[in-house]
Amino acid sequence: MLSMNELIQQLQDIKEASSEVTKVPGAKTIYLGAGWFSEQQIDTLIASYKALNNNPTISYVHVPLLNQFEGQAFDENGDFEPDFKWAVATYNADITAIQNSDVTLGVITAGNEDSGTAFELGYANALGRPTVAFYDGDWVANPINLMPAIGPSSYVRSTDELATFDFMSIATRIYDGKII
Amino acid sequence: MLSMNELIQQLQDIKEASSEVTKVPGAKTIYLGAGWFSEQQIDTLIASYKALNNNPTISYVHVPLLNQFEGQAFDENGDFEPDFKWAVATYNADITAIQNSDVTLGVITAGNEDSGTAFELGYANALGRPTVAFYDGDWVANPINLMPAIGPSSYVRSTDELATFDFMSIATRIYDGKII
Amino acid sequence: MLSMNELIQQLQDIKEASSEVTKVPGAKTIYLGAGWFSEQQIDTLIASYKALNNNPTISYVHVPLLNQFEGQAFDENGDFEPDFKWAVATYNADITAIQNSDVTLGVITAGNEDSGTAFELGYANALGRPTVAFYDGDWVANPINLMPAIGPSSYVRSTDELATFDFMSIATRIYDGKII
Amino acid sequence: MLSMNELIQQLQDIKEASSEVTKVPGAKTIYLGAGWFSEQQIDTLIASYKALNNNPTISYVHVPLLNQFEGQAFDENGDFEPDFKWAVATYNADITAIQNSDVTLGVITAGNEDSGTAFELGYANALGRPTVAFYDGDWVANPINLMPAIGPSSYVRSTDELATFDFMSIATRIYDGKII
Amino acid sequence: MLSMNELIQQLQDIKEASSEVTKVPGAKTIYLGAGWFSEQQIDTLIASYKALNNNPTISYVHVPLLNQFEGQAFDENGDFEPDFKWAVATYNADITAIQNSDVTLGVITAGNEDSGTAFELGYANALGRPTVAFYDGDWVANPINLMPAIGPSSYVRSTDELATFDFMSIATRIYDGKII
Amino acid sequence: MLSMNELIQQLQDIKEASSEVTKVPGAKTIYLGAGWFSEQQIDTLIASYKALNNNPTISYVHVPLLNQFEGQAFDENGDFEPDFKWAVATYNADITAIQNSDVTLGVITAGNEDSGTAFELGYANALGRPTVAFYDGDWVANPINLMPAIGPSSYVRSTDELATFDFMSIATRIYDGKII
């Protein structure tokens, strides 16, 4: 598994590499809500970040990992012990970033839904901002919870779709997986 | 009267023709709420779309007719019978588009106010987004309802005004027509 | 047709007569959005006001007609000529009343939808307040516009239903009429 | 484990038994977000419902299980296969209930956080409604996700606390568990 | 000048004394935003609290001074040095109380406007809650800032008015003082 | 002290001079809330406007002074006597501009906090928009009120910071001054 520093480096490289992509007028800023606590999550995060940076309808991608309070990223394997100050500052940074983005994308992994991402989708939803879920994994074998299944404005099923999704005029889609 | 396909084609031609217009930095995205069910409404829709696409303070215009669920546009003269699924998906698409736009424009025709456009103006208003009404027709002979008359942030009276309206800093205007 | 003073008197009598109805704990306040410009509208307004005042889950009904700015009610048949000050104060009074109510009820008359009521339903909707539509008339012969058809949290079809509707836990209903 | 019908019966009995509790003026309505898919969840749901019904600052408790669309409750062990219509109606019913409640309570089980409840807490939060988390279980052994840990307005740690919590003036509390 | 403990005692006595006042069904909860840092402010706070507790349309008054985090009230004359934790908890408590109240009242003293109260009025306003300003002092000699002058839903000029103001149906009023 | 016309001219010159600055994709629009009623306030306004126009993450700066209703700017030293119509139109213009901006910046002067700017920060905050405070002056000698101290998403302490602040991903900062 990548170390956190390697992961951060990869994300920065992706951003730089995409600087030549031509963006449409009025292209959207987006919040990318996703975990980085398993190999699968890291792979999905990297692929999503790359897809969004190359999407001509996206002008800027905010990824929490690149914007941690005082540079202290949360590392499950380290012995970082966050205190109240860090927790409040980091929570506020995430909320501010959602408020500062046109659209919120949340990665919902079937069978292993991240409660933080679900909270963020609910938050963006009530804020009156478009939300797009990326349902990762097998949603028939592992049904998705009703709220993140029906709440988002639309959804994609793969990082390939993310690269070409039209964020200027978000098409609604009928949810087609299983529900729990 | 234009067929729906001819209308869609005209709108797409307008968009393409305007692609060379230089936009100011930070130019706004806008939702164009208007009907297409009478000759007058179609004329107004085409002229408004053209004006907005040529306005240097507008980067993108969302028009519901070009973004119908599964390409099924509502056609009053056809025999399209929408079911619950289509209705929910299309309603959600319109709401998502309002949430995805910086500004909402609603065409209010004196004497023939569209209740759907009024709903959208009220929605955008409570969402805390700037709203601009385009009062079409004679507002002295046919007074406008109090809510769409006073609710919007500002208004225009003609498509000429729409082409040059400054959406970067929306000037308020005193309502000057009759009220019902 | 009732004169406005007679109408106001009737509404006040209804309120007084209902003061003995026992209300459930936490009973809701409601905004009653409806016109009073035709005999049918007046009949519906009176019957709705009576039903809501007798509903045990409703503690208070706000009806704009009883709360006009400086007592000047709008009278279509009179020669009242509202100025900007009256218009702003009355618009603000209606918006404040929606904000001051737990639930917003809007009477949507099939074939004759009031744009002001549609605006209010959209406004309450985006404010994050429950909305209930009362679809008056024949929604098959006269289809309802998509936005007020699908937007409200729930609906009723008659004043009888209004008298017993459970506003503590609002049940959703599938829209079953025609849509335009 | 209780059958669903037995569970529903128990909840209704609790409500009836509490009808003699005197409530303070202005007592709050509350949405009780919690799962019913394991023995522990069912025990917590019953105890929370009882505590809230007996709390003098709570006038009404909405519990989704007692308000399912067309009486079809979701039963993990049954073979109920929800379709799109059921899913939309049930999602809307939950959202409407949150909008119809003064306060939202969400049960967050350490080590087994329900993504639907997290979505609801985020939603209520952005709607500008007070939220209270009930952190069930051992939050040191099983850290809580940052968003539901810091987002809620306040929290309790036991059903005993729920019975006496002052919902009229919600005291903030410093989060004191572990965070993931 | 009263000591803080004496002030707190007086407020509690007022609440108790008013417990026999009959409240109308659906009576409102209110947030009372006001300072306690000068003799005039203390007098106004006491008189306002008394008036609101005796108002039949008000069921509950939240006053921040009676709900400080961990009982530590801010005392300008003491040597209380708040830290970040206290500041966040107290700020959140005030915001939660506004979100937990139907209406927000803010005391704006002509010539000495409290920026915290102005912030709270703006906050409640954008939250879509009715706001009432109590303009204390001489608004001709000491004009009020445009934002707190025009923003609130309505206003009163004296504590006498507060005791009888109808919070069930808030009447709008035209601002009649000077503006800066 | 500059005359108002000279001030307006200087602001327009600054805007023109900055037209060559390259902006990042998705750069933000910002509302600049600040007074112009003392030499210090004017200096801060000019320096802030210059810094923001040169900041590559800002595409457009709305400054109320350049967008007064019918060109009538408020001049403390003149004898301009605003009426209700002017007041409503100007209040609405400021609110519309906040709603039309991605971010709201408010200048809070220690010891002399402007209540209008505090109202605007509270408003933008509840609207769910990122807010940045510019704490001008000595916040140890002159403590800042709790609400504008803790409410904003982040803050700066100087116009130099404003020129380079990253508005794409707003970093939270722990408040470090005194509080009143």
Side-chain angles (χ1 to χ4, degrees):
Chain A
M1 199 161 122
L2 289 177
S3 77
M4 188 155 324
N5 282 346
E6 291 167 332
L7 172 54
I8 289 175
Q9 189 57 53
Q10 285 210 11
L11 295 173
Q12 288 170 337
D13 291 349
I14 287 168
K15 191 180 174 185
E16 214 158 303
S18 73
S19 68
E20 298 304 311
V21 180
T22 302
K23 305 298 186 177
V24 305
K28 303 290 177 186
T29 58
I30 197 165
Y31 178 88
L32 169 47
W36 60 83
F37 304 127
S38 72
E39 208 135 336
Q40 189 201 343
Q41 284 186 335
I42 287 179
D43 289 350
T44 300
L45 174 58
I46 291 173
S48 299
Y49 191 66
K50 191 169 184 177
L52 290 170
N53 271 284
N54 285 295
N55 186 315
T57 64
I58 294 292
S59 58
Y60 184 80
V61 186
H62 179 101
V63 59
L65 179 57
L66 294 185
N67 297 279
Q68 299 288 301
F69 179 61
E70 293 184 346
Q72 292 180 287
F74 192 85
D75 184 349
E76 239 191 352
N77 305 309
D79 29 35
F80 174 46
E81 291 262 333
D83 62 2
F84 180 72
K85 202 175 267 196
W86 183 91
V88 166
T90 303
Y91 173 82
N92 286 348
D94 289 350
I95 291 295
T96 296
I98 290 172
Q99 296 184 344
N100 202 28
S101 299
D102 294 320
V103 182
T104 289
L105 179 84
V107 178
I108 298 288
T109 308
N112 185 23
E113 302 179 31
D114 181 53
S115 67
T117 304
F119 184 99
E120 292 170 350
L121 284 172
Y123 188 95
N125 203 317
L127 207 62
R129 304 286 174 86
T131 48
V132 178
F134 170 8
Y135 298 122
D136 203 17
D138 182 347
W139 67 10
V140 173
N142 301 290
I144 307 283
N145 183 291
L146 175 68
M147 305 311 284
I150 302 296
S153 314
S154 192
Y155 66 84
V156 296
R157 300 287 327 273
S158 70
T159 48
D160 281 358
E161 284 187 278
L162 270 188
T164 56
F165 192 86
D166 180 2
F167 287 97
M168 300 313 291
S169 284
I170 294 173
T172 51
R173 290 180 75 175
I174 302 296
Y175 181 78
D176 209 33
K178 289 267 187 183
I179 286 172
I180 191 167
Chain B
M1 202 161 120
L2 288 177
S3 77
M4 189 157 323
N5 283 345
E6 291 167 331
L7 173 53
I8 288 175
Q9 189 58 53
Q10 285 210 12
L11 294 174
Q12 287 170 337
D13 291 349
I14 288 169
K15 190 179 176 187
E16 213 159 305
S18 73
S19 67
E20 298 303 311
V21 180
T22 303
K23 305 298 186 178
V24 304
K28 304 291 177 186
T29 58
I30 196 165
Y31 178 88
L32 168 48
W36 57 84
F37 304 126
S38 72
E39 207 136 339
Q40 190 201 343
Q41 284 186 338
I42 288 177
D43 289 350
T44 301
L45 175 58
I46 291 173
S48 299
Y49 191 65
K50 192 170 184 176
L52 290 170
N53 272 284
N54 285 294
N55 187 315
T57 65
I58 293 293
S59 57
Y60 184 81
V61 186
H62 179 102
V63 58
L65 180 56
L66 293 185
N67 298 279
Q68 299 287 301
F69 178 61
E70 294 184 346
Q72 292 180 285
F74 192 83
D75 185 350
E76 240 189 348
N77 305 310
D79 29 35
F80 174 46
E81 291 264 335
D83 61 2
F84 180 71
K85 203 176 266 196
W86 184 90
V88 166
T90 303
Y91 174 82
N92 285 349
D94 289 352
I95 290 295
T96 296
I98 291 173
Q99 296 185 343
N100 203 26
S101 298
D102 293 320
V103 181
T104 289
L105 179 84
V107 178
I108 298 288
T109 308
N112 185 22
E113 303 180 31
D114 179 55
S115 67
T117 305
F119 183 99
E120 292 170 350
L121 284 172
Y123 188 95
N125 202 318
L127 207 62
R129 304 287 172 86
T131 48
V132 177
F134 171 8
Y135 298 121
D136 202 16
D138 182 347
W139 67 10
V140 172
N142 301 291
I144 308 284
N145 182 291
L146 175 68
M147 305 312 284
I150 303 296
S153 313
S154 192
Y155 66 84
V156 297
R157 301 284 330 271
S158 70
T159 49
D160 281 359
E161 285 188 277
L162 269 189
T164 56
F165 192 86
D166 180 2
F167 286 98
M168 301 312 292
S169 285
I170 295 172
T172 52
R173 291 181 74 177
I174 302 295
Y175 182 78
D176 209 33
K178 290 266 188 186
I179 285 173
I180 191 165
Chain C
M1 198 160 124
L2 290 176
S3 78
M4 190 158 321
N5 284 346
E6 291 167 330
L7 173 54
I8 289 175
Q9 189 57 54
Q10 285 211 10
L11 294 174
Q12 287 169 337
D13 292 348
I14 287 168
K15 190 180 177 185
E16 215 159 301
S18 73
S19 68
E20 298 303 311
V21 180
T22 303
K23 305 299 187 177
V24 304
K28 303 291 177 187
T29 58
I30 196 164
Y31 178 87
L32 170 46
W36 58 84
F37 305 127
S38 73
E39 208 135 339
Q40 190 202 343
Q41 285 185 336
I42 288 179
D43 289 350
T44 300
L45 174 57
I46 291 174
S48 299
Y49 190 65
K50 192 170 185 177
L52 291 170
N53 272 282
N54 285 295
N55 186 317
T57 63
I58 293 293
S59 57
Y60 184 82
V61 186
H62 179 101
V63 58
L65 179 56
L66 294 185
N67 298 279
Q68 298 289 301
F69 179 60
E70 293 183 347
Q72 292 181 285
F74 192 83
D75 185 351
E76 239 190 350
N77 305 308
D79 30 34
F80 174 47
E81 291 263 333
D83 61 0
F84 180 71
K85 204 176 267 195
W86 182 91
V88 166
T90 302
Y91 173 82
N92 285 348
D94 289 351
I95 291 295
T96 297
I98 290 173
Q99 296 185 344
N100 203 27
S101 299
D102 294 321
V103 181
T104 289
L105 179 84
V107 178
I108 297 289
T109 306
N112 186 21
E113 303 180 30
D114 181 54
S115 68
T117 304
F119 183 100
E120 292 170 350
L121 284 173
Y123 188 95
N125 202 319
L127 208 59
R129 302 287 173 86
T131 49
V132 178
F134 171 8
Y135 298 120
D136 204 15
D138 182 347
W139 67 9
V140 172
N142 301 290
I144 309 283
N145 182 291
L146 175 68
M147 305 311 283
I150 302 296
S153 314
S154 192
Y155 66 84
V156 296
R157 301 284 330 271
S158 71
T159 49
D160 281 358
E161 284 188 278
L162 269 189
T164 56
F165 192 85
D166 181 2
F167 286 98
M168 301 312 293
S169 284
I170 295 171
T172 51
R173 289 180 77 177
I174 302 296
Y175 181 79
D176 209 35
K178 289 265 189 187
I179 286 171
I180 192 167
Chain D
M1 201 159 123
L2 290 175
S3 77
M4 189 157 321
N5 284 346
E6 290 167 331
L7 172 54
I8 288 175
Q9 190 57 54
Q10 284 210 12
L11 294 174
Q12 286 170 337
D13 291 348
I14 287 169
K15 192 180 175 185
E16 214 159 301
S18 74
S19 68
E20 298 305 309
V21 181
T22 304
K23 305 300 189 179
V24 305
K28 303 291 177 186
T29 57
I30 196 164
Y31 178 88
L32 168 46
W36 59 83
F37 304 128
S38 72
E39 207 135 339
Q40 190 201 343
Q41 283 186 338
I42 288 179
D43 289 350
T44 299
L45 173 59
I46 291 173
S48 299
Y49 190 64
K50 192 171 186 177
L52 290 170
N53 272 284
N54 285 293
N55 186 316
T57 64
I58 293 294
S59 58
Y60 184 82
V61 186
H62 179 102
V63 58
L65 179 56
L66 294 184
N67 298 280
Q68 299 289 302
F69 178 61
E70 294 184 345
Q72 293 181 285
F74 192 85
D75 185 350
E76 236 188 354
N77 305 308
D79 30 35
F80 174 46
E81 293 261 334
D83 63 1
F84 180 71
K85 204 176 265 197
W86 184 92
V88 166
T90 302
Y91 173 82
N92 285 349
D94 289 351
I95 290 297
T96 297
I98 290 172
Q99 296 185 344
N100 203 27
S101 299
D102 294 319
V103 182
T104 289
L105 179 83
V107 178
I108 297 289
T109 307
N112 185 21
E113 303 180 30
D114 180 55
S115 68
T117 305
F119 183 99
E120 292 170 350
L121 284 172
Y123 187 94
N125 202 318
L127 207 60
R129 304 286 173 86
T131 48
V132 177
F134 172 6
Y135 298 121
D136 203 17
D138 182 348
W139 68 10
V140 173
N142 300 291
I144 308 283
N145 183 291
L146 175 68
M147 304 313 282
I150 301 297
S153 313
S154 192
Y155 66 84
V156 297
R157 300 288 324 275
S158 71
T159 50
D160 281 358
E161 284 187 279
L162 270 189
T164 57
F165 192 86
D166 181 3
F167 286 98
M168 300 312 293
S169 285
I170 295 173
T172 51
R173 290 180 76 177
I174 301 297
Y175 181 78
D176 209 35
K178 290 267 189 184
I179 286 171
I180 191 167
Chain E
M1 200 162 122
L2 288 177
S3 77
M4 189 157 320
N5 283 346
E6 290 167 332
L7 173 53
I8 288 175
Q9 188 58 54
Q10 285 209 11
L11 294 174
Q12 287 170 338
D13 292 349
I14 287 168
K15 191 181 176 184
E16 215 159 300
S18 74
S19 67
E20 298 304 311
V21 180
T22 303
K23 305 299 187 179
V24 305
K28 302 291 177 186
T29 58
I30 197 165
Y31 178 88
L32 169 47
W36 58 84
F37 304 127
S38 73
E39 209 135 338
Q40 191 201 342
Q41 284 186 338
I42 287 178
D43 288 351
T44 299
L45 173 58
I46 291 173
S48 298
Y49 191 65
K50 192 171 183 175
L52 290 170
N53 272 283
N54 285 294
N55 187 315
T57 63
I58 294 293
S59 58
Y60 184 82
V61 186
H62 180 101
V63 58
L65 179 56
L66 294 184
N67 298 280
Q68 299 288 300
F69 178 60
E70 294 184 345
Q72 292 181 286
F74 192 83
D75 185 351
E76 238 189 350
N77 305 309
D79 29 35
F80 173 47
E81 293 261 335
D83 61 1
F84 180 72
K85 202 176 268 196
W86 182 91
V88 166
T90 302
Y91 173 81
N92 285 348
D94 289 352
I95 290 296
T96 296
I98 290 172
Q99 295 185 344
N100 203 27
S101 299
D102 294 320
V103 181
T104 290
L105 179 84
V107 178
I108 297 289
T109 307
N112 185 23
E113 302 179 32
D114 181 54
S115 68
T117 305
F119 183 99
E120 291 169 350
L121 284 172
Y123 188 95
N125 203 317
L127 207 59
R129 304 287 173 86
T131 48
V132 177
F134 171 8
Y135 298 120
D136 203 16
D138 182 347
W139 68 9
V140 173
N142 300 290
I144 308 283
N145 183 291
L146 174 69
M147 305 311 284
I150 301 297
S153 314
S154 192
Y155 66 84
V156 297
R157 301 285 327 272
S158 70
T159 49
D160 281 358
E161 284 188 279
L162 269 188
T164 57
F165 192 86
D166 181 3
F167 286 98
M168 301 312 293
S169 285
I170 295 172
T172 52
R173 291 181 74 177
I174 302 295
Y175 182 78
D176 208 33
K178 290 268 188 183
I179 285 171
I180 191 166
Chain F
M1 199 160 122
L2 289 176
S3 77
M4 188 155 325
N5 283 346
E6 290 167 332
L7 172 53
I8 288 174
Q9 189 57 55
Q10 284 210 10
L11 294 174
Q12 288 170 338
D13 291 349
I14 288 168
K15 190 178 175 186
E16 212 159 304
S18 73
S19 68
E20 298 303 312
V21 180
T22 302
K23 305 299 186 178
V24 304
K28 304 289 176 185
T29 58
I30 196 164
Y31 179 87
L32 169 47
W36 58 84
F37 304 127
S38 73
E39 207 134 341
Q40 191 200 342
Q41 284 186 339
I42 289 178
D43 289 351
T44 301
L45 175 58
I46 292 173
S48 299
Y49 190 66
K50 191 170 184 177
L52 290 170
N53 273 284
N54 286 293
N55 187 315
T57 63
I58 294 292
S59 57
Y60 184 81
V61 186
H62 179 101
V63 59
L65 179 56
L66 294 185
N67 297 281
Q68 300 288 301
F69 178 60
E70 293 183 347
Q72 292 180 286
F74 192 83
D75 185 349
E76 238 188 352
N77 305 307
D79 30 33
F80 173 47
E81 292 263 334
D83 61 2
F84 180 73
K85 203 176 265 197
W86 183 91
V88 166
T90 303
Y91 173 82
N92 285 348
D94 289 352
I95 291 296
T96 297
I98 290 173
Q99 296 185 345
N100 203 27
S101 299
D102 294 320
V103 181
T104 289
L105 180 84
V107 178
I108 297 289
T109 308
N112 185 23
E113 303 180 30
D114 181 53
S115 67
T117 305
F119 183 99
E120 292 170 350
L121 284 172
Y123 187 95
N125 203 316
L127 207 61
R129 303 287 172 86
T131 49
V132 178
F134 171 7
Y135 298 121
D136 203 16
D138 182 347
W139 67 11
V140 173
N142 301 291
I144 308 282
N145 183 290
L146 175 68
M147 304 312 285
I150 302 297
S153 313
S154 192
Y155 66 84
V156 297
R157 302 283 330 271
S158 71
T159 48
D160 281 359
E161 284 187 280
L162 269 188
T164 57
F165 191 86
D166 180 2
F167 286 98
M168 300 313 291
S169 284
I170 295 173
T172 51
R173 289 180 75 176
I174 302 297
Y175 182 78
D176 208 34
K178 290 266 188 187
I179 285 171
I180 191 166

